[in-house]
Amino acid sequence: MTAAASAEPACAARATPACLVRAPRENAPLRLLCFHHAGGGASFFAPWPGRVVPSVDVLPVQLPGREARYREPRFDDVGRLAEALVRELEPWLREPYAFYGHSMGALVAFAVAAARERAGGRAPSALFVGAYAAPHRTPPLPPADRYGDAELARFLVDVGGLSPEFLGRDEWLSALLPVVRDDLRICASHRKAGLVVPARPSLDVHAFAGADDTLVDPEAVRAWERYARTFRLTRVPGGHFFPREAPAPFFRELNAALVRLMPGRAGRSARPG
């Protein structure tokens, strides 16, 4: 991943980075950059533009090595991934923005916010995290090499992250499971990346926990409070993938929070969840 040189013309510096599935809207009052779960991709957020308040520019982030970027080398370290994303996204982080990270994406979003702060850049207006334990807690996802392929596939099905149709389909699993294992290594790399509780928390954090999530305990999600200048925990119906399983209550809460972030409450008219 490369960043545009600062000496290049402004139009080049604002070119759409490879990690975004579409060009950002110019002059949007707020951008919401969304980071996907382990083994997932930016398509997880495909329905979001129709559910998020219209004035918010929803920007799913596509990590390399999956979906349209499947030929690119994958990361297995959250620190290096965050630094690369900061370089790539920097031209679009100079105006108001927020992050949403789901499951592993919560850790990635936090790492990007931390790397951005270390670089002296503008912090996100809010960090939204869903279905993931705070970094000082034991990672909710298993180590990359704990399970064989069949066991790992069954684990993914049990938490709702994989269709049962994949079970027994070796040709499908041979493409998917290496991606999952590298993502599990990302989740296990947070201590090496120095993602510890900051001495002076500077982020406004809104955490979401699924009421029926069998993988992540709500108290582990509540532990994000230690990283927050201000903190709110919202429990919503659904399991580990509550934005997909029970979208209406989740988007009602998310939209209310996004409206509060926008200058002049530009997104006051929200679409129904």
Side-chain angles (χ1 to χ4, degrees):
M1 297 186 189
T2 60
S6 59
E8 292 179 348
C11 59
R14 295 275 285 196
T16 304
C19 65
L20 295 182
V21 299
R22 64 167 184 80
R25 295 201 318 253
E26 290 285 355
N27 303 316
L30 182 70
R31 296 188 177 94
L32 180 65
L33 289 95
C34 302
F35 300 84
H36 59 74
H37 57 282
S43 60
F44 179 76
F45 300 104
W48 284 43
R51 291 188 174 273
V52 169
V53 290
S55 51
V56 173
D57 190 16
V58 177
L59 295 173
V61 175
Q62 184 70 277
L63 302 186
R66 64 210 74 214
E67 296 186 347
R69 305 182 70 188
Y70 73 96
R71 294 184 183 275
E72 300 179 39
R74 298 185 298 271
F75 285 86
D76 61 7
D77 179 273
V78 72
R80 291 197 297 270
L81 172 59
E83 290 171 359
L85 288 172
V86 166
R87 290 194 300 270
E88 197 168 358
L89 290 168
E90 194 278 333
W92 298 100
L93 303 180
R94 300 170 187 170
E95 295 141 5
Y97 70 95
F99 287 159
Y100 178 87
H102 195 82
S103 195
M104 176 194 78
L107 180 67
V108 175
F110 176 62
V112 173
R116 176 76 172 154
E117 184 174 21
R118 287 195 301 272
R122 181 181 192 135
S125 300
L127 172 65
F128 298 98
V129 295
Y132 203 75
H136 65 281
R137 302 289 293 263
T138 301
L141 298 172
D145 301 315
R146 172 178 291 178
Y147 298 129
D149 286 355
E151 293 83 2
L152 180 57
R154 170 52 65 182
F155 168 82
L156 295 172
V157 169
D158 289 346
V159 300
L162 184 67
S163 169
E165 295 179 22
F166 276 74
L167 297 179
R169 301 296 297 266
D170 291 344
E171 69 278 18
W172 294 359
L173 293 175
S174 65
L176 172 67
L177 293 183
V179 178
V180 174
R181 293 190 192 280
D182 276 348
D183 285 352
L184 295 178
R185 293 184 181 100
I186 285 176
C187 295
S189 67
H190 64 290
R191 295 189 186 280
K192 183 175 70 173
L195 297 182
V196 297
V197 181
R200 293 182 178 178
S202 58
L203 295 171
D204 296 321
V205 180
H206 190 149
F208 293 90
D212 302 316
D213 191 342
T214 59
L215 182 61
V216 183
D217 184 272
E219 290 307 307
V221 181
R222 185 186 298 278
W224 280 96
E225 185 171 11
R226 291 176 60 179
Y227 299 77
R229 178 177 60 186
T230 66
F231 179 78
R232 181 174 182 177
L233 173 67
T234 300
R235 295 188 68 175
V236 293
H240 191 65
F241 293 97
F242 50 79
R244 186 171 60 199
E245 298 164 7
F250 166 70
F251 282 104
R252 185 165 54 246
E253 293 290 338
L254 179 63
N255 280 326
L258 290 170
V259 167
R260 289 193 293 268
L261 292 178
M262 283 186 281
R265 304 292 176 91
R268 188 178 297 278
S269 58
R271 294 178 182 173

